[in-house]
Amino acid sequence: MFRRKLTALDYHDPDRFDCSDETQFRNCIVWLEDQKIRHYKIEDRGNLRNIPSSDWPKAFHQYLQDLNCPFGSEERKEAVDWLLGLAVRYEYGDNVDKYKNCQPLASGNSEKAVDPLVNLDSNSPDFKAGVTALANILKIQRHDDYLVMLKAIRILIQERLSPEAITKANQSKEGVPVSLEKHILGFDTGDATLNEAAQILRLLHIEELRELQTKINEAIVAVQAIIADPKTDHRLGKVGR
């Protein structure tokens, strides 16, 4: 499952790499840090390079934390896949001129578009690592069902990150002139200036409450859409949760 990324990184033996083999696994991690990621200074890589040490798992766990990896050391396959993805990104960043003119491989059947989700394996570590990474970037709460997380990511991107949404968010909001005399404060501070300031603060607070109510309504609609969605797990033999 790691062969494609290892090959792209010029790993010495991508076809025979076995993540379950402790020696191969540790050597690969050290190789990634030394050759591609280079997060630590050379003098700080001693614990990670000490492959035979019984404390190596602790060093690896700390390494993942220092990289802000979303996976722990016990999630070995997911962590390796995440590290490989990070290494590929750094490799491209170091050699932009080399890779920017690369042409995609010609498809044998380019006339018919293929849905990339048709053969999607939602249980594969690659899929889980990718969805988790996106969820962390977009600040989406983790869920046990990765398909649910993917659906939440899609909704967020469509509603908040589409060109139309970004354009709307960047538009400056012009204020509407308001006459303070028309709004009764309800109390008197004894100072005309303070009274005006209190009126302005009250109007701003009302505007914030309106925005909050709008967001609450949107959340209610979103929850109702999920609850009413009949596309649930058919293995349960029922519709709904």
Side-chain angles (χ1 to χ4, degrees):
M1 60 175 289
F2 308 115
R3 181 177 58 83
R4 185 178 60 176
K5 292 179 181 178
L6 289 171
T7 301
L9 294 169
D10 294 326
Y11 190 67
H12 61 277
D13 194 2
D15 293 324
R16 297 185 180 181
F17 174 70
D18 183 4
C19 185
S20 61
D21 185 288
E22 192 66 28
T23 301
Q24 290 190 41
F25 167 69
R26 295 187 181 187
N27 276 304
C28 181
I29 298 300
V30 174
W31 180 84
L32 285 173
E33 169 59 20
D34 282 343
Q35 301 297 325
K36 304 298 178 181
I37 299 177
R38 300 188 292 273
H39 179 73
Y40 290 154
K41 295 180 180 179
I42 296 178
E43 58 270 21
D44 296 333
R45 300 175 189 171
N47 293 334
L48 202 62
R49 286 176 170 175
N50 190 9
I51 294 176
S53 173
S54 59
D55 291 331
W56 191 91
K58 295 181 180 178
F60 177 58
H61 180 75
Q62 184 62 47
Y63 180 59
L64 294 178
Q65 288 186 334
D66 293 340
L67 289 173
N68 294 321
C69 176
F71 301 103
S73 55
E74 67 280 358
E75 300 171 289
R76 175 173 294 193
K77 290 183 178 180
E78 290 83 355
V80 170
D81 185 74
W82 186 88
L83 290 173
L84 289 173
L86 181 66
V88 169
R89 191 170 70 211
Y90 286 162
E91 175 71 13
Y92 175 80
D94 292 340
N95 302 276
V96 175
D97 294 334
K98 175 182 177 182
Y99 295 112
K100 68 179 181 180
N101 294 323
C102 290
Q103 298 297 325
L105 295 176
S107 174
N109 185 14
S110 58
E111 297 180 357
K112 185 178 180 181
V114 178
D115 186 354
L117 300 180
V118 170
N119 298 319
L120 182 64
D121 182 6
S122 61
N123 294 318
S124 71
D126 285 340
F127 173 79
K128 293 180 179 179
V131 171
T132 302
L134 282 174
N136 289 336
I137 293 173
L138 298 174
K139 307 299 182 183
I140 293 177
Q141 185 176 356
R142 294 189 63 171
H143 192 279
D144 293 336
D145 190 336
Y146 286 86
L147 290 176
V148 172
M149 289 176 61
L150 182 60
K151 184 176 181 180
I153 291 170
R154 175 183 62 81
I155 294 174
L156 176 63
I157 292 176
Q158 288 179 339
E159 295 184 355
R160 300 294 180 87
L161 300 180
S162 64
E164 296 79 7
I166 294 175
T167 301
K168 183 178 180 181
N170 291 334
Q171 292 177 349
S172 60
K173 297 182 179 179
E174 297 183 359
V176 178
V178 176
S179 177
L180 295 179
E181 290 78 8
K182 296 181 179 180
H183 298 274
I184 301 175
L185 181 59
F187 61 89
D188 186 8
T189 64
D191 187 288
T193 303
L194 289 178
N195 286 344
E196 288 188 359
Q199 285 178 304
I200 293 171
L201 290 175
R202 171 168 287 184
L203 291 174
L204 291 174
H205 179 60
I206 293 174
E207 179 64 22
E208 290 179 348
L209 290 177
R210 288 175 177 172
E211 293 181 359
L212 177 61
Q213 184 62 53
T214 300
K215 293 180 179 179
I216 292 174
N217 293 339
E218 292 176 352
I220 293 174
V221 171
V223 171
Q224 290 175 340
I226 295 175
I227 295 175
D229 186 0
K231 296 179 181 179
T232 55
D233 192 344
H234 297 288
R235 293 173 299 178
L236 300 177
K238 63 180 180 179
V239 176
R241 301 184 181 278

